[in-house]
Amino acid sequence: MNLRRKPFGLGRAVLLLCLLGLADAAVARTPVPDLAPTLAPAPADALADWNAHGRAEGLARPDTPCQDFLQALGKKPDYVEYLGCEQDDDSYIQPMEARYRVSGDAAAKMEAYLGQAFGMPPLEYVCCGWGNRGPFFWHDGPGGVNYEVSMGVETLRIPREQWGEIPSFNVRIGVIRKSP
């Protein structure tokens, strides 16, 4: 049986805690439609707040589109398939995550590339698959964005030399746009 799981990084853990808190709050109150427009900051206010605080914290600009982050950074190898980007504007931290797939045959090459381009440590086999031991972040220079970089696959214990037998590995590049 070849089970696969998504890596559960720090961003996802924070997101889960925020969503659980929002769910409890939503049950306890009835939304007031007239106040909803006043709760969201105007784009100019969001950008000013980002310039004042978010940039130094490594947050993505509030107007950053959900996109192929590897391509946008000029760091996308041709053997990586972009699957799409997910964003959650309803979450307090407003995360975005680009998802990719790389074949098992190219997995070692991708692991080496992520190590060279982003400083990601080698994957380890833990419990149920190959992946990052914990969340790994790459900072895009001084005043730049903090990217969460992960790679992995849920699988039986297959030696690194036999990764070609695994159909594909998942790669994820994530950012957040608001401070937790």
Side-chain angles (χ1 to χ4, degrees), residues 21-33 35-36 39:
L22 290 173
D24 286 342
V27 170
R29 63 178 161 80
T30 302
V32 180
L35 297 179
L39 297 177

Side-chain angles (χ1 to χ4, degrees), residues 96-115:
M96 292 190 289
E97 183 177 76
R99 297 172 289 107
Y100 304 86
R101 177 175 38 223
V102 63
S103 72
D105 290 331
K109 187 160 101 173
M110 185 64 180
E111 175 193 35
Y113 175 75
L114 292 173

Side-chain angles (χ1 to χ4, degrees), residues 70 73-77 79 107-123 132 136-139 149 151:
L70 288 176
L73 289 166
K75 295 179 178 275
K76 183 178 175 191
Y79 50 86
K109 187 160 101 173
M110 185 64 180
E111 175 193 35
Y113 175 75
L114 292 173
Q116 178 267 321
F118 298 100
M120 186 185 85
L123 302 183
N132 302 70
F136 174 76
F137 295 90
W138 175 76
H139 194 73
V149 179
M151 179 177 169

Side-chain angles (χ1 to χ4, degrees), residues 64-143:
T64 299
C66 201
Q67 61 187 312
D68 181 340
F69 292 121
L70 288 176
Q71 183 72 37
L73 289 166
K75 295 179 178 275
K76 183 178 175 191
D78 59 358
Y79 50 86
V80 177
E81 178 186 3
Y82 173 63
L83 300 175
C85 188
E86 297 172 359
Q87 73 183 54
D88 185 357
D89 290 337
D90 293 330
S91 167
Y92 181 74
I93 61 173
Q94 295 184 343
M96 292 190 289
E97 183 177 76
R99 297 172 289 107
Y100 304 86
R101 177 175 38 223
V102 63
S103 72
D105 290 331
K109 187 160 101 173
M110 185 64 180
E111 175 193 35
Y113 175 75
L114 292 173
Q116 178 267 321
F118 298 100
M120 186 185 85
L123 302 183
E124 297 181 35
Y125 189 88
V126 178
C127 169
C128 310
W130 287 96
N132 302 70
R133 171 79 64 190
F136 174 76
F137 295 90
W138 175 76
H139 194 73
D140 186 20

